[in-house]
Every structure is written in C-alpha cells, then in structure tokens.
Amino acid sequence: MDFEAVAKYSALHLKPAGLSLQYGTAGFRTKAGHLDHVMYRMGLLAVLRSRQTKSTIGVMVTASHNPEEDNGVKLVDPLGEMLTSAWEEYATCLANAEEQEIQSILTEICQKEAVKLHQYASVFIGRDTRPSSEKLSQSVIDGVSALGGQYHDYGLVTTPQLHYMVCCQNTQEHYGKATVEGYYQKLSKAFGELTKQASSSGDDQMCLKIDCANGIGALKLKELERYLPKKLLIHLYNDGTKEKLNHLCGADFVKVHQKPPLGLEIRPNERCCSFDGDADRIVYYYNDTAGHFHLVDGDKIATLISTFIKELLIKTGQTLTMAVVQTAYANGSSTHYLEEIMKVPVHCTKTGVKHLHHKAQEFDIGVYFEANGHGTVLFSKAAEEKIRHMAKEEKENQKREAAKMLENTIDLINQTVGDAISDMLVIEAILALKGLTVQQWDAIYTDLPNRQLKVKVADRRVIDTTDAERRAVTPPGLQEKIDQLVKKYRVSRAFVRPSGTEDVVRVYSEADTQENADSLAHEVSLAVYHLAGGIGEPPQPIC
C-alpha cells in the first residue's frame, strides 16, 4: 500500500477537531463543510472494498431530502445494494480516525478482510445537484487515486441510477448497460411494452404533475422525456432553476406536512407526485373537489403494485411465493386489506430500508415500501427465469400475455434500490392498464387516523424493543402500560421505539378517530416520559 501517497493526499483533507460521525442507513450526513476528510477517506475505503469483492463499488455524494447546506456520502455494494454492516463499522472508524491513525486502520481492514493489495480496483462515483457536491466528489476521487484505484465519474446522477450502474457493471451488463442512456432505454422500452394494452380512451389518464424537489430528479426527467412514449405527459415543477433544494417541497416535505409543495398549483382531482432530493422516494397526492388534500403514500403504492402482480400471477397459473414487507409504521388498514382482501402475506421488519430489502429477498417476489415512499420489488432469479421462459414459450395465449406483462414489469423496476423514476413509471403503467384515477386508487382502503410524536429522553438506549419494534422490552412496566392504554380505544394500536440518531423516543398510535389517535399518542408519550427518563417539560396534550 502506498502510504506516502495516502499521507500526502490526507494532508489536503484534514479532519476538523472534535468531529465524530456515524455511518448509518443513509451513510454519512452532516453540514457540507464538515465532510471533506470523510469523502477522501470513503474513496480509500471504496478501493479496499472493491479489491476485497473483486467488483466495482459505488460512491454517491448526496444528502437526499436534507437541506441544501448539508451533504453526505454512501457506498454501494456490488449488486447495487447498500454497504454491508461490517464495512459500515469500518467507515465510521476511518471517518473518525485522527490523521496518524489512518495507516494502521487501513492495514487492519486489509488483514481482517484478506484484501489483496495488488488486486485491480474500480469505483463508480456520482453526485447530486448541491453546490458542495462537485468539490466533495473530487475529494472522493483523491481517495481512490491515493490507493491506485480506477474510477469512472458519472457526474450528476440520481442515487438509484448509480446503484443501477454498479449492478450492471458487476453482472457483465446482464442487468443492463452501465450508462445513463442504457437506464433510460431499458425503462422506456419496458414502459412502452407494458402500456400497449392500456385503453387509449382516457387520454388525460396519463397526465402527471411532478414536484422535483429542486433536485437531480428534474435534470434526469428532462433527459428521460425524449425516450418516453407520447401517451405519458409529464409536467415538471420545482426543477431547480429558481429555488433551493428540498425547500418547502419534495416527498419528505409533502409526507410530513400533509400538504402540497410550494410552487405547484393543483386543480381538483389532478394527479401529482413528489420526488425527494436524490430521487429515491416518491409519494402521490391530489386535492378533491372540496379542496381537501389527499396523500397516497408508500403503503398505497405497495398495495397497488402487489395487487397488480398478484392478478398477473393468477393469470399465468404460476405458484410463486409472494409477500409484502412493511414496518410497524405501515397503516393498519393497508395490512388488513392485503392480508384479508387480497390474501397477500404481509411481514413486518424493523425500521430501515436494509431490513425491508433483506426480508423481501426471502420470497420469489418481495414488495417493500416504507410509508415515506422509498421502496421497490425484488424478483428471485428462479422466478425471473420462469416468467421469462413462459413469456417466450407458453402456448396458451392468456397465460403468455400475462407472463409478458410480468416480464416488462421486471424490466421496468429498479431492483437494486427504491427509485422514484422507475416507481413512477410502474405506477403510471398500472393506473393506465387498470383504468384507475388517482381517487379510485386512493379509495382502495381508508387509512386509520394516526399520530406520530417524539419524547426527549436522557438516554434513548433505555428503550429496547422486540417483535419488529412493535413491543418494548425495557424499561420494565412500559409495555404493560401501553397495552392498558390501547385497550381504552377502538381499532387501536401503539408502539414506541428509540430514534437511531438522537436522544428521543418515537411514539406511533392508530385508532378509530383522529381525536382518539391523538389522545392515545399523548398518553403513551406521558408513559414514556415517566418510565424512560424523559427530560424537559412533560408532553402536552395535542391541540
């Protein structure tokens, strides 16, 4: 290892004194000015990971839905998946190391992971549109170069595009061409094929307003537009030409505030959607004729997609295992609809995309979406082969056509990670094929009223949970108290879980009315405050 080069470059990317960061589900995220040394060191780590896996590794410079002043970085593993847990720990250790410790930490990783130092290393780099991203991606390049790795800088791309291209590269382009053009061609071809059967009577059916969060999604949708069939008419808003990234707009803003973004006028019953800053989340919404706002979130997206796939599977006669994977935050009505009406098995995991993705891999077809609109569909290799074979060889017309539609659905979905562009095209295709308006889709089931609160505590580690975070194990007596409170209300449930990033406990409740959901959430918050070391003023009733 060329420690001289590592030290030389390292001196140009010094760590601010006293700064400590943690690599989490979203990688590293903080103020952009604190990240130069982290980017350089993640370039070093990506080279080691590439040598260890004998594969191309991705490095994405983005802070997703965070404010424009922030930035972040995440590494992408060989099949486009998120970085494995052991290497997350290495990332944290390396980012927080003092200058003189870098050499020994790199050596230790190489020994632990049997990294061959002369192995060829390849890193794909992408970035979002933040003002700080270009300079920070240059710091990543310095890290890759210091250890003699090769890199391809894709420049401005969405996070899911980088995941996609890493997967393409490492499957010898079996998954697709490792270029942005290849991505557009694959998706647009699948979308065109899938929507061929859609009735052409509802011309306005395929008209969509998109809030691009003043981020990378706008640039990439403009590039994609020329590949799309004319029947899909998209209108872009918050395209980054006037306002700041994620400011009063984007999927996270719409979901949290339950209202339309700034800069997008909605006429009654117009179908709209919002991307987040790096285009890996999507939520839909509309205003009804009375001017009331309706959010169609990740739960309803999962329901729409899984119902569509299940219906096609029945037509093919294939007996493939299929499940929807949710977290405890999924609305109870969605779980009930899937299990009782659609007869689709539902599994619950801990919060975090990594847990959902991992669980979804256990089935022939696994659909997962968080309520915030991040999600995708995974098809096992065996399921994909069966479907593709049937689309080609099946003699019976109806079965063959259904298999072809499933095949195009597979090609339209970005299986590596949640992808707002791909998910949007899947949703638009399904709505067109089923002849559904956004209101009809929304009316599949009615969400139970719910409330989310947080309680400040001295130490969040006091709370330990089990059963996919739905039940508290510690502190003693807390779960018993929650069970008592839940019994007071109809169709109710509640759970608490510690935040992954700050000393707060998150409280979630559902009940038959909003008033009861609010009241239950408040009472559970008080129980947390008294039994789990709450600090500051006790929680106040919700007005």
Short mmCIF file of all heavy atoms in Angstrom, two decimals, residues 119-176:
data_model
loop_
_atom_site.label_atom_id
_atom_site.label_comp_id
_atom_site.label_asym_id
_atom_site.label_seq_id
_atom_site.Cartn_x
_atom_site.Cartn_y
_atom_site.Cartn_z
N GLN A 119 -4.73 -6.30 -6.24
CA GLN A 119 -5.96 -6.56 -6.98
C GLN A 119 -6.43 -5.27 -7.66
O GLN A 119 -6.35 -4.19 -7.10
CB GLN A 119 -7.02 -7.06 -5.99
CG GLN A 119 -8.39 -7.34 -6.56
CD GLN A 119 -8.42 -8.58 -7.42
OE1 GLN A 119 -7.79 -9.57 -7.10
NE2 GLN A 119 -9.14 -8.51 -8.51
N TYR A 120 -6.94 -5.40 -8.89
CA TYR A 120 -7.49 -4.25 -9.62
C TYR A 120 -8.67 -3.67 -8.82
O TYR A 120 -9.48 -4.42 -8.26
CB TYR A 120 -7.97 -4.70 -11.00
CG TYR A 120 -8.63 -3.63 -11.84
CD1 TYR A 120 -7.86 -2.69 -12.52
CD2 TYR A 120 -10.02 -3.57 -11.94
CE1 TYR A 120 -8.47 -1.71 -13.30
CE2 TYR A 120 -10.64 -2.59 -12.71
CZ TYR A 120 -9.86 -1.65 -13.38
OH TYR A 120 -10.46 -0.67 -14.14
N ALA A 121 -8.79 -2.36 -8.74
CA ALA A 121 -9.91 -1.73 -8.01
C ALA A 121 -10.63 -0.75 -8.91
O ALA A 121 -10.01 0.03 -9.64
CB ALA A 121 -9.38 -1.01 -6.78
N SER A 122 -11.97 -0.80 -8.88
CA SER A 122 -12.79 0.06 -9.73
C SER A 122 -13.91 0.69 -8.90
O SER A 122 -14.61 0.00 -8.16
CB SER A 122 -13.37 -0.79 -10.86
OG SER A 122 -14.56 -0.24 -11.36
N VAL A 123 -14.06 2.02 -9.04
CA VAL A 123 -15.06 2.75 -8.27
C VAL A 123 -15.88 3.65 -9.20
O VAL A 123 -15.32 4.36 -10.04
CB VAL A 123 -14.39 3.62 -7.17
CG1 VAL A 123 -15.43 4.41 -6.37
CG2 VAL A 123 -13.54 2.75 -6.23
N PHE A 124 -17.21 3.57 -9.09
CA PHE A 124 -18.12 4.46 -9.82
C PHE A 124 -18.54 5.58 -8.86
O PHE A 124 -18.94 5.30 -7.72
CB PHE A 124 -19.38 3.72 -10.28
CG PHE A 124 -19.19 2.85 -11.51
CD1 PHE A 124 -17.95 2.73 -12.14
CD2 PHE A 124 -20.26 2.15 -12.04
CE1 PHE A 124 -17.79 1.93 -13.26
CE2 PHE A 124 -20.12 1.35 -13.16
CZ PHE A 124 -18.88 1.24 -13.78
N ILE A 125 -18.47 6.82 -9.33
CA ILE A 125 -18.80 7.97 -8.47
C ILE A 125 -19.94 8.78 -9.09
O ILE A 125 -19.95 9.02 -10.30
CB ILE A 125 -17.55 8.88 -8.29
CG1 ILE A 125 -16.40 8.07 -7.66
CG2 ILE A 125 -17.88 10.11 -7.43
CD1 ILE A 125 -15.04 8.73 -7.75
N GLY A 126 -20.89 9.17 -8.26
CA GLY A 126 -21.99 10.02 -8.71
C GLY A 126 -22.26 11.10 -7.68
O GLY A 126 -21.84 10.99 -6.53
N ARG A 127 -22.99 12.15 -8.09
CA ARG A 127 -23.29 13.23 -7.14
C ARG A 127 -24.63 13.88 -7.46
O ARG A 127 -25.12 13.80 -8.59
CB ARG A 127 -22.18 14.29 -7.16
CG ARG A 127 -22.07 15.07 -8.46
CD ARG A 127 -21.02 16.19 -8.36
NE ARG A 127 -21.10 17.11 -9.48
CZ ARG A 127 -20.44 16.99 -10.61
NH1 ARG A 127 -19.63 15.94 -10.79
NH2 ARG A 127 -20.57 17.88 -11.58
N ASP A 128 -25.21 14.54 -6.44
CA ASP A 128 -26.46 15.28 -6.65
C ASP A 128 -26.15 16.73 -7.00
O ASP A 128 -24.99 17.09 -7.24
CB ASP A 128 -27.39 15.13 -5.44
CG ASP A 128 -26.90 15.87 -4.20
OD1 ASP A 128 -25.95 16.67 -4.29
OD2 ASP A 128 -27.49 15.66 -3.11
N THR A 129 -27.19 17.58 -7.00
CA THR A 129 -27.03 18.95 -7.52
C THR A 129 -26.63 19.98 -6.47
O THR A 129 -26.60 21.17 -6.76
CB THR A 129 -28.36 19.41 -8.15
OG1 THR A 129 -29.41 19.24 -7.18
CG2 THR A 129 -28.71 18.61 -9.38
N ARG A 130 -26.34 19.58 -5.25
CA ARG A 130 -25.97 20.55 -4.21
C ARG A 130 -24.72 21.34 -4.64
O ARG A 130 -23.82 20.77 -5.26
CB ARG A 130 -25.65 19.83 -2.90
CG ARG A 130 -26.84 19.22 -2.25
CD ARG A 130 -26.48 18.19 -1.19
NE ARG A 130 -27.65 17.38 -0.95
CZ ARG A 130 -28.60 17.69 -0.07
NH1 ARG A 130 -28.46 18.75 0.68
NH2 ARG A 130 -29.66 16.93 0.05
N PRO A 131 -24.64 22.62 -4.26
CA PRO A 131 -23.46 23.43 -4.62
C PRO A 131 -22.15 22.80 -4.14
O PRO A 131 -21.11 22.97 -4.77
CB PRO A 131 -23.72 24.76 -3.91
CG PRO A 131 -25.19 24.82 -3.69
CD PRO A 131 -25.66 23.41 -3.53
N SER A 132 -22.20 22.05 -3.02
CA SER A 132 -20.97 21.48 -2.46
C SER A 132 -20.57 20.14 -3.08
O SER A 132 -19.48 19.64 -2.85
CB SER A 132 -21.17 21.26 -0.95
OG SER A 132 -22.28 20.41 -0.72
N SER A 133 -21.46 19.54 -3.89
CA SER A 133 -21.25 18.14 -4.30
C SER A 133 -20.06 17.94 -5.24
O SER A 133 -19.36 16.93 -5.15
CB SER A 133 -22.52 17.57 -4.93
OG SER A 133 -23.51 17.40 -3.94
N GLU A 134 -19.84 18.89 -6.15
CA GLU A 134 -18.75 18.69 -7.12
C GLU A 134 -17.39 18.65 -6.43
O GLU A 134 -16.57 17.76 -6.68
CB GLU A 134 -18.77 19.80 -8.18
CG GLU A 134 -17.78 19.53 -9.31
CD GLU A 134 -17.95 20.48 -10.50
OE1 GLU A 134 -18.79 21.40 -10.44
OE2 GLU A 134 -17.23 20.29 -11.49
N LYS A 135 -17.16 19.60 -5.52
CA LYS A 135 -15.88 19.66 -4.80
C LYS A 135 -15.71 18.40 -3.92
O LYS A 135 -14.62 17.82 -3.86
CB LYS A 135 -15.84 20.92 -3.95
CG LYS A 135 -14.51 21.16 -3.25
CD LYS A 135 -14.47 22.54 -2.60
CE LYS A 135 -13.16 22.78 -1.89
NZ LYS A 135 -12.95 21.92 -0.73
N LEU A 136 -16.80 17.98 -3.28
CA LEU A 136 -16.71 16.81 -2.40
C LEU A 136 -16.47 15.53 -3.20
O LEU A 136 -15.76 14.63 -2.74
CB LEU A 136 -17.97 16.69 -1.54
CG LEU A 136 -18.13 17.76 -0.44
CD1 LEU A 136 -19.47 17.65 0.25
CD2 LEU A 136 -17.00 17.67 0.59
N SER A 137 -17.03 15.45 -4.41
CA SER A 137 -16.78 14.23 -5.20
C SER A 137 -15.32 14.21 -5.68
O SER A 137 -14.73 13.15 -5.87
CB SER A 137 -17.76 14.09 -6.36
OG SER A 137 -17.57 15.08 -7.31
N GLN A 138 -14.71 15.39 -5.82
CA GLN A 138 -13.28 15.46 -6.16
C GLN A 138 -12.44 14.89 -5.01
O GLN A 138 -11.42 14.24 -5.24
CB GLN A 138 -12.87 16.91 -6.46
CG GLN A 138 -11.45 17.07 -6.98
CD GLN A 138 -11.13 16.21 -8.21
OE1 GLN A 138 -11.82 16.27 -9.22
NE2 GLN A 138 -10.08 15.39 -8.11
N SER A 139 -12.90 15.11 -3.78
CA SER A 139 -12.20 14.55 -2.61
C SER A 139 -12.28 13.02 -2.62
O SER A 139 -11.32 12.34 -2.24
CB SER A 139 -12.81 15.09 -1.31
OG SER A 139 -12.78 16.50 -1.31
N VAL A 140 -13.42 12.48 -3.06
CA VAL A 140 -13.56 11.02 -3.20
C VAL A 140 -12.54 10.52 -4.23
O VAL A 140 -11.84 9.52 -4.00
CB VAL A 140 -14.99 10.62 -3.64
CG1 VAL A 140 -15.07 9.12 -3.90
CG2 VAL A 140 -16.03 11.04 -2.61
N ILE A 141 -12.45 11.23 -5.35
CA ILE A 141 -11.50 10.85 -6.42
C ILE A 141 -10.07 10.84 -5.88
O ILE A 141 -9.29 9.93 -6.19
CB ILE A 141 -11.65 11.82 -7.63
CG1 ILE A 141 -12.99 11.54 -8.34
CG2 ILE A 141 -10.47 11.68 -8.60
CD1 ILE A 141 -13.38 12.57 -9.39
N ASP A 142 -9.74 11.82 -5.04
CA ASP A 142 -8.40 11.86 -4.43
C ASP A 142 -8.14 10.59 -3.62
O ASP A 142 -7.05 10.01 -3.66
CB ASP A 142 -8.24 13.08 -3.51
CG ASP A 142 -8.02 14.37 -4.29
OD1 ASP A 142 -7.90 14.30 -5.53
OD2 ASP A 142 -7.96 15.45 -3.65
N GLY A 143 -9.15 10.14 -2.88
CA GLY A 143 -9.01 8.92 -2.07
C GLY A 143 -8.82 7.69 -2.93
O GLY A 143 -7.97 6.84 -2.64
N VAL A 144 -9.59 7.60 -4.01
CA VAL A 144 -9.47 6.45 -4.93
C VAL A 144 -8.08 6.45 -5.56
O VAL A 144 -7.40 5.41 -5.62
CB VAL A 144 -10.57 6.51 -6.02
CG1 VAL A 144 -10.37 5.39 -7.04
CG2 VAL A 144 -11.97 6.40 -5.39
N SER A 145 -7.64 7.62 -5.99
CA SER A 145 -6.33 7.73 -6.67
C SER A 145 -5.17 7.43 -5.72
O SER A 145 -4.18 6.81 -6.12
CB SER A 145 -6.16 9.14 -7.24
OG SER A 145 -7.24 9.44 -8.11
N ALA A 146 -5.29 7.86 -4.47
CA ALA A 146 -4.20 7.66 -3.50
C ALA A 146 -3.88 6.18 -3.33
O ALA A 146 -2.72 5.82 -3.10
CB ALA A 146 -4.58 8.27 -2.16
N LEU A 147 -4.89 5.31 -3.46
CA LEU A 147 -4.64 3.87 -3.31
C LEU A 147 -4.55 3.15 -4.66
O LEU A 147 -4.65 1.93 -4.73
CB LEU A 147 -5.73 3.23 -2.43
CG LEU A 147 -5.56 3.43 -0.91
CD1 LEU A 147 -6.69 2.76 -0.15
CD2 LEU A 147 -4.22 2.90 -0.43
N GLY A 148 -4.41 3.93 -5.72
CA GLY A 148 -4.20 3.31 -7.04
C GLY A 148 -5.42 2.68 -7.66
O GLY A 148 -5.31 1.79 -8.51
N GLY A 149 -6.61 3.12 -7.25
CA GLY A 149 -7.84 2.59 -7.84
C GLY A 149 -8.21 3.32 -9.12
O GLY A 149 -7.77 4.45 -9.35
N GLN A 150 -8.99 2.66 -9.97
CA GLN A 150 -9.53 3.30 -11.18
C GLN A 150 -10.93 3.82 -10.86
O GLN A 150 -11.63 3.22 -10.05
CB GLN A 150 -9.62 2.28 -12.33
CG GLN A 150 -8.28 1.66 -12.70
CD GLN A 150 -7.28 2.70 -13.18
OE1 GLN A 150 -7.56 3.49 -14.07
NE2 GLN A 150 -6.11 2.71 -12.55
N TYR A 151 -11.33 4.91 -11.48
CA TYR A 151 -12.67 5.42 -11.20
C TYR A 151 -13.35 5.88 -12.48
O TYR A 151 -12.70 6.22 -13.47
CB TYR A 151 -12.62 6.58 -10.19
CG TYR A 151 -11.95 7.83 -10.72
CD1 TYR A 151 -12.70 8.81 -11.39
CD2 TYR A 151 -10.58 8.04 -10.55
CE1 TYR A 151 -12.09 9.95 -11.90
CE2 TYR A 151 -9.96 9.18 -11.05
CZ TYR A 151 -10.72 10.13 -11.72
OH TYR A 151 -10.12 11.25 -12.23
N HIS A 152 -14.68 5.84 -12.45
CA HIS A 152 -15.50 6.44 -13.52
C HIS A 152 -16.40 7.46 -12.83
O HIS A 152 -17.21 7.08 -11.98
CB HIS A 152 -16.33 5.39 -14.24
CG HIS A 152 -17.13 5.94 -15.38
ND1 HIS A 152 -16.93 5.59 -16.69
CD2 HIS A 152 -18.12 6.87 -15.41
CE1 HIS A 152 -17.77 6.27 -17.46
NE2 HIS A 152 -18.51 7.05 -16.70
N ASP A 153 -16.25 8.73 -13.17
CA ASP A 153 -17.06 9.78 -12.56
C ASP A 153 -18.27 10.03 -13.45
O ASP A 153 -18.15 10.58 -14.54
CB ASP A 153 -16.21 11.05 -12.40
CG ASP A 153 -16.99 12.17 -11.72
OD1 ASP A 153 -18.13 11.91 -11.26
OD2 ASP A 153 -16.47 13.30 -11.66
N TYR A 154 -19.46 9.61 -12.98
CA TYR A 154 -20.69 9.80 -13.76
C TYR A 154 -21.25 11.21 -13.62
O TYR A 154 -22.22 11.56 -14.29
CB TYR A 154 -21.76 8.79 -13.32
CG TYR A 154 -21.55 7.41 -13.89
CD1 TYR A 154 -20.85 6.44 -13.19
CD2 TYR A 154 -22.07 7.07 -15.14
CE1 TYR A 154 -20.66 5.17 -13.72
CE2 TYR A 154 -21.88 5.80 -15.68
CZ TYR A 154 -21.18 4.86 -14.96
OH TYR A 154 -21.00 3.61 -15.48
N GLY A 155 -20.66 12.01 -12.71
CA GLY A 155 -21.15 13.38 -12.52
C GLY A 155 -22.53 13.38 -11.91
O GLY A 155 -22.81 12.64 -10.96
N LEU A 156 -23.42 14.21 -12.47
CA LEU A 156 -24.77 14.37 -11.91
C LEU A 156 -25.67 13.18 -12.27
O LEU A 156 -26.02 12.99 -13.43
CB LEU A 156 -25.39 15.67 -12.43
CG LEU A 156 -24.72 16.96 -11.94
CD1 LEU A 156 -25.14 18.14 -12.80
CD2 LEU A 156 -25.05 17.22 -10.48
N VAL A 157 -26.03 12.40 -11.26
CA VAL A 157 -26.97 11.26 -11.45
C VAL A 157 -27.85 11.16 -10.21
O VAL A 157 -27.51 11.66 -9.15
CB VAL A 157 -26.23 9.90 -11.64
CG1 VAL A 157 -25.57 9.80 -13.00
CG2 VAL A 157 -25.22 9.65 -10.53
N THR A 158 -29.00 10.48 -10.35
CA THR A 158 -29.80 10.18 -9.16
C THR A 158 -29.10 9.05 -8.41
O THR A 158 -28.33 8.28 -9.00
CB THR A 158 -31.22 9.71 -9.54
OG1 THR A 158 -31.15 8.41 -10.14
CG2 THR A 158 -31.91 10.69 -10.49
N THR A 159 -29.38 8.95 -7.12
CA THR A 159 -28.81 7.84 -6.33
C THR A 159 -29.17 6.48 -6.94
O THR A 159 -28.30 5.63 -7.12
CB THR A 159 -29.28 7.94 -4.86
OG1 THR A 159 -28.75 9.14 -4.31
CG2 THR A 159 -28.82 6.75 -4.04
N PRO A 160 -30.46 6.25 -7.29
CA PRO A 160 -30.80 4.93 -7.87
C PRO A 160 -30.09 4.64 -9.19
O PRO A 160 -29.82 3.48 -9.50
CB PRO A 160 -32.32 5.02 -8.08
CG PRO A 160 -32.78 6.09 -7.15
CD PRO A 160 -31.66 7.07 -7.06
N GLN A 161 -29.79 5.68 -9.98
CA GLN A 161 -29.05 5.45 -11.23
C GLN A 161 -27.66 4.91 -10.94
O GLN A 161 -27.18 4.01 -11.63
CB GLN A 161 -28.97 6.74 -12.06
CG GLN A 161 -30.28 7.09 -12.75
CD GLN A 161 -30.23 8.40 -13.51
OE1 GLN A 161 -29.47 9.31 -13.18
NE2 GLN A 161 -31.05 8.52 -14.54
N LEU A 162 -26.99 5.46 -9.91
CA LEU A 162 -25.65 4.95 -9.59
C LEU A 162 -25.74 3.49 -9.11
O LEU A 162 -24.94 2.65 -9.52
CB LEU A 162 -24.96 5.82 -8.53
CG LEU A 162 -23.49 5.43 -8.34
CD1 LEU A 162 -22.62 5.94 -9.49
CD2 LEU A 162 -22.93 5.90 -7.01
N HIS A 163 -26.73 3.19 -8.25
CA HIS A 163 -26.92 1.80 -7.79
C HIS A 163 -27.13 0.87 -9.00
O HIS A 163 -26.56 -0.22 -9.06
CB HIS A 163 -28.16 1.71 -6.88
CG HIS A 163 -27.93 2.20 -5.49
ND1 HIS A 163 -27.77 1.36 -4.42
CD2 HIS A 163 -27.82 3.45 -4.98
CE1 HIS A 163 -27.60 2.07 -3.31
NE2 HIS A 163 -27.63 3.35 -3.62
N TYR A 164 -27.96 1.32 -9.92
CA TYR A 164 -28.28 0.54 -11.13
C TYR A 164 -27.00 0.26 -11.94
O TYR A 164 -26.75 -0.87 -12.36
CB TYR A 164 -29.28 1.33 -11.97
CG TYR A 164 -29.59 0.78 -13.34
CD1 TYR A 164 -30.60 -0.15 -13.54
CD2 TYR A 164 -28.86 1.20 -14.47
CE1 TYR A 164 -30.89 -0.65 -14.80
CE2 TYR A 164 -29.14 0.70 -15.73
CZ TYR A 164 -30.16 -0.22 -15.89
OH TYR A 164 -30.43 -0.71 -17.14
N MET A 165 -26.18 1.30 -12.14
CA MET A 165 -24.99 1.14 -12.99
C MET A 165 -23.91 0.27 -12.34
O MET A 165 -23.22 -0.48 -13.03
CB MET A 165 -24.46 2.51 -13.40
CG MET A 165 -25.45 3.16 -14.37
SD MET A 165 -25.01 4.75 -15.05
CE MET A 165 -25.15 5.83 -13.69
N VAL A 166 -23.82 0.32 -11.01
CA VAL A 166 -22.90 -0.57 -10.30
C VAL A 166 -23.34 -2.03 -10.52
O VAL A 166 -22.52 -2.90 -10.83
CB VAL A 166 -22.85 -0.23 -8.79
CG1 VAL A 166 -22.12 -1.33 -8.00
CG2 VAL A 166 -22.15 1.11 -8.57
N CYS A 167 -24.64 -2.27 -10.40
CA CYS A 167 -25.18 -3.63 -10.61
C CYS A 167 -24.94 -4.09 -12.05
O CYS A 167 -24.51 -5.23 -12.28
CB CYS A 167 -26.67 -3.66 -10.29
SG CYS A 167 -27.41 -5.28 -10.48
N CYS A 168 -25.19 -3.22 -13.02
CA CYS A 168 -24.96 -3.57 -14.44
C CYS A 168 -23.51 -3.98 -14.67
O CYS A 168 -23.22 -5.00 -15.29
CB CYS A 168 -25.29 -2.38 -15.35
SG CYS A 168 -27.04 -1.99 -15.42
N GLN A 169 -22.60 -3.18 -14.13
CA GLN A 169 -21.17 -3.42 -14.31
C GLN A 169 -20.76 -4.78 -13.75
O GLN A 169 -19.99 -5.52 -14.37
CB GLN A 169 -20.38 -2.29 -13.63
CG GLN A 169 -18.87 -2.38 -13.77
CD GLN A 169 -18.40 -2.09 -15.19
OE1 GLN A 169 -19.17 -1.63 -16.04
NE2 GLN A 169 -17.14 -2.36 -15.46
N ASN A 170 -21.29 -5.10 -12.56
CA ASN A 170 -20.87 -6.33 -11.88
C ASN A 170 -21.62 -7.58 -12.32
O ASN A 170 -21.31 -8.68 -11.88
CB ASN A 170 -20.99 -6.14 -10.36
CG ASN A 170 -19.95 -5.15 -9.84
OD1 ASN A 170 -18.79 -5.18 -10.26
ND2 ASN A 170 -20.36 -4.27 -8.95
N THR A 171 -22.61 -7.41 -13.20
CA THR A 171 -23.31 -8.58 -13.76
C THR A 171 -22.92 -8.72 -15.24
O THR A 171 -23.64 -9.34 -16.01
CB THR A 171 -24.84 -8.45 -13.63
OG1 THR A 171 -25.26 -7.21 -14.23
CG2 THR A 171 -25.28 -8.47 -12.18
N GLN A 172 -21.78 -8.11 -15.61
CA GLN A 172 -21.32 -8.12 -17.01
C GLN A 172 -22.45 -7.63 -17.94
O GLN A 172 -22.67 -8.18 -19.01
CB GLN A 172 -20.83 -9.52 -17.45
CG GLN A 172 -19.47 -9.92 -16.86
CD GLN A 172 -19.52 -10.12 -15.36
OE1 GLN A 172 -20.30 -10.92 -14.84
NE2 GLN A 172 -18.69 -9.38 -14.64
N GLU A 173 -23.15 -6.62 -17.48
CA GLU A 173 -24.24 -5.96 -18.21
C GLU A 173 -25.44 -6.89 -18.47
O GLU A 173 -26.27 -6.60 -19.31
CB GLU A 173 -23.75 -5.28 -19.48
CG GLU A 173 -22.66 -4.23 -19.20
CD GLU A 173 -22.63 -3.08 -20.19
OE1 GLU A 173 -22.94 -3.29 -21.37
OE2 GLU A 173 -22.27 -1.95 -19.76
N HIS A 174 -25.52 -7.98 -17.70
CA HIS A 174 -26.70 -8.85 -17.79
C HIS A 174 -27.94 -8.08 -17.30
O HIS A 174 -29.04 -8.27 -17.80
CB HIS A 174 -26.50 -10.11 -16.93
CG HIS A 174 -27.70 -10.99 -16.86
ND1 HIS A 174 -28.11 -11.79 -17.91
CD2 HIS A 174 -28.62 -11.17 -15.86
CE1 HIS A 174 -29.23 -12.42 -17.57
NE2 HIS A 174 -29.56 -12.06 -16.34
N TYR A 175 -27.74 -7.19 -16.31
CA TYR A 175 -28.85 -6.42 -15.76
C TYR A 175 -29.19 -5.21 -16.65
O TYR A 175 -30.29 -4.67 -16.57
CB TYR A 175 -28.52 -5.96 -14.33
CG TYR A 175 -29.72 -5.39 -13.61
CD1 TYR A 175 -30.83 -6.20 -13.33
CD2 TYR A 175 -29.77 -4.05 -13.22
CE1 TYR A 175 -31.95 -5.69 -12.70
CE2 TYR A 175 -30.89 -3.54 -12.57
CZ TYR A 175 -31.97 -4.36 -12.32
OH TYR A 175 -33.08 -3.86 -11.69
N GLY A 176 -28.26 -4.81 -17.49
CA GLY A 176 -28.47 -3.66 -18.37
C GLY A 176 -27.14 -3.00 -18.67
O GLY A 176 -26.10 -3.41 -18.17
#
